[in-house]
Amino acid sequence: MTLRSDNRPWYKQRWPWLLMAGPIAVVIAGVITTWLAVTSNDGLVTDDYYKQGLAVNQTLQRDHQASSLGIQADVMRAGQNMRLLIRANEGVAVPQALELKLAHPTRAGQDQSVAMTAEGQGFYSGKLTGEVAGRWLVSIEDPAGQWRLHGEWQADSEEPLRLTAQAGK
């Protein structure tokens, strides 16, 4: 029988700490994951998905209306200032105010709604309430809710975004 020659306590040995490192790392990762799940709002799951499904036909009807009116828009940005150029078929009156909605694809808390006021000759202007960068879903609507234009916008792009109503969508 061999006797242990060193009299160091267990916590001064290397092997117990090496064996405990894995479970300790898992516990720490679990706490961090729980904290992230509780504090962040993903905004991807909606509780009224059935009502949203029923509203799809109304949304499509507004897209078809924009197509029949021949409405097109160019969205331009300079810093926090937004500018629209709206074109429509001959004889179609454009409203004095429009609503520009910017929706972030994954973070609903960053969504913005910008009131656009007419400057004349189809131009509208408004101001952003926060910083925008990356990809955004853009929607332009008239105040009466009769028509809508929508599309995807890369906010970092220097080129204006052209929105055209597509009746086939």
Side-chain angles (χ1 to χ4, degrees), residues 137-152:
L137 305 175
V138 177
S139 175
I140 301 172
E141 301 177 3
D142 70 319
Q146 299 297 314
W147 56 265
R148 175 186 84 148
L149 296 175
H150 62 93
E152 290 187 16

Side-chain angles (χ1 to χ4, degrees), residues 13 16 31 41-43 47 65 71 95-96 105 117 134 137 148 162:
Q13 300 290 328
V31 168
N41 178 14
D42 58 5
D47 57 349
Q65 180 69 15
I71 298 175
Q96 286 296 315
T117 55
L137 305 175
R148 175 186 84 148
R162 173 150 299 164

Side-chain angles (χ1 to χ4, degrees), residues 83-160:
R83 195 153 191 219
L84 298 177
L85 172 60
I86 302 289
R87 293 176 303 283
N89 287 341
E90 190 72 30
V92 174
V94 292
Q96 286 296 315
L98 294 174
E99 184 176 14
L100 173 70
K101 294 181 181 178
L102 299 174
H104 196 277
T106 58
R107 295 185 178 149
Q110 294 183 358
D111 293 355
Q112 296 186 36
S113 181
V114 180
M116 305 296 289
T117 55
E119 295 178 339
Q121 298 180 351
F123 284 98
Y124 292 80
S125 64
K127 198 165 195 75
L128 294 171
T129 58
E131 189 59 38
V132 293
R135 189 174 75 110
W136 290 82
L137 305 175
V138 177
S139 175
I140 301 172
E141 301 177 3
D142 70 319
Q146 299 297 314
W147 56 265
R148 175 186 84 148
L149 296 175
H150 62 93
E152 290 187 16
W153 177 48
Q154 190 66 32
D156 304 327
S157 173
E158 295 292 324
E159 296 294 318

